[in-house]
Amino acid sequence: MTDRRPILLAAGGTGGHLFPAEALAGELIRRGAEIELVTDARVAAHARDFPARAVHAVASATIGGRSPRAVARLAGGLGYGFGQSLRLMRTVRPRAVVGFGGYPTVPPLAAAELLGIPAVIHEQNGVMGRANRLLAPRATAIATGFAKLDKVSARIAAKAVHVGNPVRPAVLAAASPYEPPAGGSPIRLLVFGGSQGARVMSEAVPAALAALDAALRARLRVVHQARAEDTETALTGYAAARIEADIAPFFRDLPMRMAAAHLVIARAGASTVAELAAIGRPAVLVPLPNSLDQDQLANARALAAAGGATVMVQAELTAASLSGLLARLLTAPAALAAQAAASRAFAVPDAAARLADLVLGVARPAGAEP
């Protein structure tokens, strides 16, 4: 009889957690594994397209402050989710559980570890997040998106295996050779702020482009993914500068637009960095400044150290500073091409396969007794 016990993926919150989980799911399904997803209620309602035979929702919570009430709310949410997760593990009897970070993964991973089910955590960022730090000491295996993982103990570092960050099939399909802008031809820029949006992009980028030389400005073709509440700001800025711009809150074909760009201006979430590298495009990265662990700064610096990006911290992001940087980059096609090649060399295009190898290596064998 075919073993129908699944590998259970735990992911929630943002695309940065769901995208690598989706890529791993596809790879494991190709290898004949059954997949189920456990997440929180917010994501479960929108996970219809996730490649899993079942989607489960368990209670969770996130840090809402350090007050006694906030801490009690966090503990209560995680505790209730833990009880739900124990029942889920006993019902589903997964061969392994794989967590992708964020507090929604804490209850199912903790339940798996308590019951002796192999547990793998995947850390997408260059700095391990707080939820994964809670789980790492007892995890069976730790997979990392970046070769270097900052702010972990020697014991945790010894358990870490660099597999890269799995990217969606649409990203791999969009990869194509980079062609720098030729003299006088249009220059295509892509601007986006990640899953949390970035008002600063809608304010600073149009102003920076407006300050460029008129001849260079006339060549620009901008695609800008802006939050709905920031769209008018971006529209006004580009119109005042007489720059052709396609602005929308969301582009479903963002990987193709990334591939069409000569330069990308973006945040530095782990998925963004992985997708830039997989497609091979140069970038100006503006890390999210107020994250608890400065994970985006670590991500951006890793790609920049490899030669694939330029980092501009938000505190230094002004129209004048960004305009000066863009003037140098956009008039140096050979430098853009070199950065694109370095970005592509930084990629781990088989990250999903590497992670699948690790997961299947620790999972209970198909047909084995639970």
Side-chain angles (χ1 to χ4, degrees), residues 97-195:
V97 180
V98 187
F100 288 86
Y103 279 94
T105 68
V106 171
L109 266 291
E113 292 169 6
L114 180 66
L115 296 174
I117 299 168
V120 178
I121 60 173
H122 181 266
E123 176 54 61
Q124 292 94 58
N125 295 291
V127 176
M128 182 170 280
R130 297 191 174 198
N132 275 349
R133 289 208 300 268
L134 286 174
L135 298 165
R138 292 172 298 279
T140 310
I142 301 169
T144 69
F146 288 83
K148 182 183 178 185
L149 189 59
D150 291 336
K151 300 180 182 180
V152 294
S153 68
R155 178 187 169 206
I156 298 303
K159 294 172 65 174
V161 179
H162 177 224
V163 300
N165 277 317
V167 297
R168 297 166 290 165
V171 174
L172 295 175
S176 60
Y178 180 76
E179 296 182 6
S185 65
I187 300 173
R188 296 183 295 275
L189 295 183
L190 172 63
V191 183
F192 63 97
S195 60

Side-chain angles (χ1 to χ4, degrees), residues 11-280:
T14 68
H17 295 140
L18 281 171
F19 289 161
E22 180 181 343
L24 175 63
E27 178 65 24
L28 289 172
I29 289 169
R30 282 191 289 275
R31 300 188 188 194
E34 298 285 349
I35 300 299
E36 296 189 12
L37 173 69
V38 57
T39 185
D40 59 5
R42 296 170 304 161
V43 175
H46 303 285
R48 298 183 186 90
D49 296 330
F50 194 93
R53 72 182 188 187
V55 177
H56 310 278
V58 299
S60 181
T62 58
I63 295 178
R66 297 184 178 180
S67 68
R69 179 176 294 181
V71 172
R73 189 181 300 114
L74 174 66
L78 294 178
Y80 184 60
F82 178 71
Q84 291 179 306
S85 297
L86 281 174
R87 291 189 291 273
L88 176 65
M89 298 300 155
R90 288 168 173 148
T91 301
V92 172
R93 298 181 301 121
R95 295 170 54 200
V97 180
V98 187
F100 288 86
Y103 279 94
T105 68
V106 171
L109 266 291
E113 292 169 6
L114 180 66
L115 296 174
I117 299 168
V120 178
I121 60 173
H122 181 266
E123 176 54 61
Q124 292 94 58
N125 295 291
V127 176
M128 182 170 280
R130 297 191 174 198
N132 275 349
R133 289 208 300 268
L134 286 174
L135 298 165
R138 292 172 298 279
T140 310
I142 301 169
T144 69
F146 288 83
K148 182 183 178 185
L149 189 59
D150 291 336
K151 300 180 182 180
V152 294
S153 68
R155 178 187 169 206
I156 298 303
K159 294 172 65 174
V161 179
H162 177 224
V163 300
N165 277 317
V167 297
R168 297 166 290 165
V171 174
L172 295 175
S176 60
Y178 180 76
E179 296 182 6
S185 65
I187 300 173
R188 296 183 295 275
L189 295 183
L190 172 63
V191 183
F192 63 97
S195 60
Q196 298 183 54
R199 174 165 294 172
V200 67
M201 299 291 193
S202 298
E203 296 172 342
V205 174
L209 298 182
L212 293 174
D213 174 83
L216 183 59
R217 194 168 66 243
R219 297 171 59 193
L220 297 176
R221 307 291 185 270
V222 178
V223 173
H224 189 136
Q225 184 169 287
R227 295 185 302 181
E229 59 267 35
D230 299 332
T231 299
E232 189 61 35
T233 298
L235 278 170
T236 301
Y238 289 123
R242 297 184 179 180
I243 294 172
E244 181 180 314
D246 182 4
I247 306 170
F250 183 72
F251 292 104
R252 291 190 176 277
D253 59 345
L254 192 62
M256 294 302 298
R257 292 176 183 265
M258 192 181 295
H262 291 115
L263 180 66
V264 177
I265 304 173
R267 288 299 197 197
S271 287
T272 294
V273 171
E275 291 177 3
L276 282 167
I279 294 173

